[in-house]
Amino acid sequence: MQVFTNAIVLSKLKYRDNDLIVKCYTEQLGVVSFLIRGVLKSKKGASRVAYFQLLSQLQLNIVYKGNRSLQAITETKLNHQYTSLHTHILKSSIVMFLSEVLSSTLQEEEKNESLFKYIETTLLWLDTHSNYSNFHLLFLLNLTKYLGFYPEDFNTDYQYFNLSHGQFELKKTDRYSISGENLILLKQLMGTTFDALYLVKINAKQRQAFLNMILLYFELHLGSFKTPKSLKIFNQVFN
């Protein structure tokens, strides 16, 4: 079956001497992995490798066969030409970190246009904005809307939030009830947009603490989720 679809690169892995295995999140088919044969053995192939940088946005022509774990691509085009995501050190660190999160959380081979559009548009926002220090926090929080465990938005005046239940609480019920600075920031982020994100003022220590909390939130609600290996490097670079 021939399929034309937009796609976002989640990961790539060298296979044998000259091939790549690339995992993408596609608009039409969900998560799909591809075998790109011979792409590493020629100068002409080098230009094709550049297409498959992490979180690149592509247009793919796919020969899709449901009984295969690795699909074939007949044509690749860039859908959006980033201006800074792969060249700015801080933004490229965000890209590396978020690609690992998305690779861990997006497992389904099914169409989800609203989720695809969310990832596509927010990456374009990041590429074109210079005030983005809290981007990854809002990105992860909003991602939970599409994964099915966004915090319930009533009783937000309560002084605790339970990570396990995804609810605000009047009093602390267990070890997953959070309060203090993380709670304040959670409420701020739930009430903001990416364009207003510059108004959220926190320091590096607070940012790292909230990131650790939101990653725990993912672990509690997604059995397959693992803390990204790039987290330590990300924190070192970003802070």
Side-chain angles (χ1 to χ4, degrees):
M1 177 175 67
Q2 202 81 4
V3 178
F4 296 89
T5 183
N6 292 331
I8 297 169
V9 177
L10 299 181
S11 67
K12 63 179 179 179
L13 177 69
K14 184 179 179 181
Y15 179 68
R16 296 177 177 168
D17 291 332
N18 301 310
D19 305 338
L20 281 179
I21 293 176
V22 178
K23 182 164 75 169
C24 294
Y25 188 59
T26 71
E27 188 171 19
Q28 299 300 320
L29 300 168
V31 177
V32 183
S33 293
F34 302 96
L35 177 60
I36 319 292
R37 295 186 182 277
V39 72
L40 300 177
K41 70 178 180 180
S42 67
K43 292 183 179 180
K44 185 177 180 180
S47 62
R48 291 180 61 205
V49 172
Y51 289 143
F52 301 106
Q53 295 184 77
L54 295 176
L55 300 188
S56 289
Q57 299 192 30
L58 309 174
Q59 294 178 355
L60 301 179
N61 187 348
I62 304 168
V63 179
Y64 185 79
K65 298 183 179 180
N67 60 345
R68 287 186 179 178
S69 59
L70 295 174
Q71 305 297 330
I73 299 173
T74 58
E75 185 179 10
T76 307
K77 295 180 180 178
L78 275 179
N79 202 22
H80 297 289
Q81 180 72 54
Y82 293 140
T83 59
S84 64
L85 284 199
H86 294 134
T87 54
H88 190 286
I89 186 169
L90 295 182
K91 288 187 179 182
S92 62
S93 298
I94 294 174
V95 165
M96 179 178 66
F97 174 74
L98 291 183
S99 66
E100 193 175 353
V101 171
L102 289 171
S103 190
S104 178
T105 56
L106 305 180
Q107 303 288 343
E108 299 177 356
E109 290 190 9
E110 63 179 38
K111 186 176 182 178
N112 188 334
E113 289 183 348
S114 60
L115 174 54
F116 185 90
K117 185 62 66 176
Y118 169 70
I119 299 171
E120 178 184 50
T121 55
T122 51
L123 289 176
L124 293 176
W125 185 96
L126 176 61
D127 186 51
T128 56
H129 285 75
S130 58
N131 196 327
Y132 54 85
S133 57
N134 296 321
F135 171 85
H136 56 293
L137 305 182
L138 185 58
F139 179 91
L140 292 176
L141 179 61
N142 285 347
L143 182 62
T144 65
K145 292 179 183 178
Y146 304 92
L147 302 177
F149 54 97
Y150 189 73
E152 294 186 1
D153 58 357
F154 50 87
N155 297 326
T156 55
D157 57 327
Y158 285 0
Q159 297 306 303
Y160 294 91
F161 178 78
N162 191 290
L163 296 172
S164 182
H165 301 150
Q167 299 175 333
F168 289 93
E169 299 179 326
L170 189 58
K171 60 183 181 179
K172 184 179 179 71
T173 57
D174 60 33
R175 63 193 179 105
Y176 296 119
S177 295
I178 61 107
S179 60
E181 290 180 341
N182 278 341
L183 179 70
I184 293 170
L185 183 53
L186 174 63
K187 292 179 179 180
Q188 284 183 292
L189 291 177
M190 287 179 66
T192 195
T193 63
F194 284 98
D195 286 337
L197 196 52
Y198 71 95
L199 296 173
V200 178
K201 304 297 184 183
I202 58 173
N203 60 39
K205 184 178 179 180
Q206 292 168 322
R207 186 178 298 114
Q208 187 170 333
F210 187 87
L211 177 58
N212 289 336
M213 186 204 75
I214 200 74
L215 292 175
L216 174 59
Y217 190 50
F218 272 69
E219 287 181 29
L220 291 171
H221 292 269
L222 297 173
S224 60
F225 184 78
K226 297 179 180 178
T227 300
K229 295 178 181 178
S230 58
L231 177 61
K232 184 177 181 180
I233 297 173
F234 176 75
N235 283 332
Q236 289 174 345
V237 171
F238 208 72
N239 294 333

